[in-house]
Amino acid sequence: MTEIIFSLGLGERVVGVTTVCDRPEEARSKTKIGGMANPSIEAIVALKPDMVVMNSDGNPKVIAERLAKLGIKTHIFRARRLTELPTGIRELGQALGARPAADHLAENIEKAIRDVSSSHQGKSSPTHTAGGRKALFVIWPSPLIVAGPGTILDDAMKMSGLNNIAADGKVAYPRFSVEAVIERQPDLILIGKGHDDMKTLAKGFLKSLSMLEAVRKGRVCFMGDALYRPGPRIPAGMAELDRCGKMP
């Protein structure tokens, strides 16, 4: 949300952010009000905000209720899926008086989704048996945590014509075993930037998968974190995923 607000040209109006708001660079110098799950009501009140922007997927509901009792306006950002993001941005723009900029950003994201989806029409399959390449998106190599169903990463993979081998997981980010990866034989392994040196961290994991054709043929793609956050960098993330999906 912080990235979105800054991209709407409203950075000067931001008086406080959470401790995890590290993009864009200017956000780092803003007053910190605590974490996403445990923001300080006192710190928020001290900043005298006209509005507090919150997320339905990370900020406790009780915080919004307490702010309402104190007479502080809130806006709840509810976009959890890729297709919900443009609407969420437009609603945020409306709430903050920046609808034209929000419309422009939302249209850019819709275009990115449309362009990638149309170029891969009919190539993905929920059964992983036909169509596009089978892929695995690694969030963390050890213990192995991957992108599962109901996530923006899963949405992006499907739109890019990839079959997520963890799409049948019981949770959004399931723990996977190396044996399960070997059994499901992904054609492509995607590794997100959860750390500055993921290549070093993933060495042992990739060595344990050395018998897979994807590893033998170098179809391992180290990606940035653009798709980790539903915001203005989604088009760049979609383009990066599309490039990785075309690895020979």
Side-chain angles (χ1 to χ4, degrees), residues 146-178:
V146 303
T151 62
I152 281 179
L153 291 162
D154 184 53
D155 289 344
M157 288 165 77
K158 284 176 182 163
M159 290 173 186
S160 298
L162 299 171
N163 285 315
N164 182 6
I165 66 166
D168 60 351
K170 303 295 182 208
V171 294
Y173 296 98
R175 281 183 69 156
F176 241 52
S177 67
V178 169

Side-chain angles (χ1 to χ4, degrees), residues 3 11 21 45 71-72 79 95 98 114 121 180 206 215 219 236 243:
E3 281 191 69
C21 296
V45 172
I72 297 174
R114 197 165 55 243
Q121 206 73 47
L206 292 173
V215 176
R219 288 198 297 270
R243 286 193 300 272

